[in-house]
Amino acid sequence: GQNIDQPTEMTATEGAIVQINCTYQTSGFNGLFWYQQHAGEAPTFLSYNVLDGLEEKGRFSSFLSRSKGYSYLLLKELQMKDSASYLCAVRDQDTDKLIFGTGTRLQVFP
Amino acid sequence: DGGITQSPKYLFRKEGQNVTLSCEQNLNHDAMYWYRQDPGQGLRLIYYSQIVNDFQKGDIAEGYSVSREKKESFPLTVTSAQKNPTAFYLCASLRGRGAFFGQGTRLTVV
């Protein structure tokens, strides 16, 4: 089976850096996705990691350690518009099943 | 313009009626997915399909049905057997490093 854990809520200050963690247990692993979802809207794609290491894309970076079953999303220079839910999803190696964690709701304060 | 399109955006259904939600993609993606999201909750997998004419149950398939007659299309029928169908329904497609969502259909039972 698969189990994906994320913190439920986080808060941060505008201009700061925040790290959102995701731990997973899967029978077969073929990549991990991060999405941003604003209230009432569909998720939008942020990043995809399949190999260990850090991938940077502007203010957002994502890290993966397959041996530890661990990923994080790093958001730099936080802006008010970054207040949203952040979803971690794991792709199964054999079936292409895409399973989501419950998401982390981030609130950015001035 | 490539993308994944869900229709309608809002849908109202009377109790006891079946209703079909449309999902179409022109990204040439092989895998497609249907998720349900309840207020303040994560995404739960209903059905998914890796190839045409084949699909698999997700974690909450009871009361739902799907078909995959064309690569581009993966409609979801919410049947009268679904006890609590009011929710936000999201369709996604995946290929390689990309997995993207449609804008979602908000279904309300009246």
Side-chain angles (χ1 to χ4, degrees), chain A residues 2 13 24 30 57 63 73 79 91 106:
Chain A
Q2 292 169 312
T13 306
Y24 63 88
N30 192 24
K57 198 183 291 185
F63 172 83
L73 180 69
Q79 302 175 9
R91 180 180 181 182
L106 174 66

Side-chain angles (χ1 to χ4, degrees), chain A residues 27-52:
Chain A
S27 51
F29 177 83
N30 192 24
L32 186 145
F33 292 88
W34 283 97
Y35 292 86
Q36 181 190 61
Q37 186 180 26
H38 285 101
E41 298 181 8
T44 55
F45 172 82
L46 292 176
S47 68
Y48 175 66
N49 295 68
V50 66
L51 299 176
D52 291 350

Side-chain angles (χ1 to χ4, degrees), chain B residues 7-69:
Chain B
S7 61
K9 190 171 182 180
Y10 298 96
L11 188 58
F12 296 88
R13 189 195 91 175
K14 291 183 179 179
E15 282 194 34
Q17 286 183 336
N18 292 355
V19 64
T20 298
L21 282 58
S22 170
C23 179
E24 303 277 334
Q25 54 97 2
N26 59 7
L27 300 167
N28 199 31
H29 284 182
D30 298 302
M32 296 186 74
Y33 307 82
W34 274 106
Y35 295 91
R36 169 183 172 136
Q37 188 175 38
D38 293 288
Q41 305 295 313
L43 275 63
R44 292 186 290 167
L45 183 63
I46 304 173
Y47 269 98
Y48 65 104
S49 168
Q50 289 177 281
I51 56 172
V52 174
N53 292 322
D54 187 51
F55 48 82
Q56 308 296 327
K57 291 182 179 180
D59 300 319
I60 56 164
E62 186 175 349
Y64 300 98
S65 66
V66 293
S67 63
R68 186 84 187 276
E69 297 176 1

Side-chain angles (χ1 to χ4, degrees), chain A residues 33 35 37 40-43 45 48 50 55 87 91 94-102, chain B residues 33 35 37 41-43 45 48 50 59 88 90 94 96-103 106:
Chain A
F33 292 88
Y35 292 86
Q37 186 180 26
E41 298 181 8
F45 172 82
Y48 175 66
V50 66
E55 293 216 6
L87 312 177
R91 180 180 181 182
D94 297 320
T95 66
D96 262 347
K97 200 172 179 180
L98 196 58
I99 297 296
F100 281 79
T102 53
Chain B
Y33 307 82
Y35 295 91
Q37 188 175 38
Q41 305 295 313
L43 275 63
L45 183 63
Y48 65 104
Q50 289 177 281
D59 300 319
F88 188 38
L90 289 157
L94 178 151
R97 297 178 61 87
F100 303 99
F101 283 86
Q103 73 270 32
R106 200 167 295 279

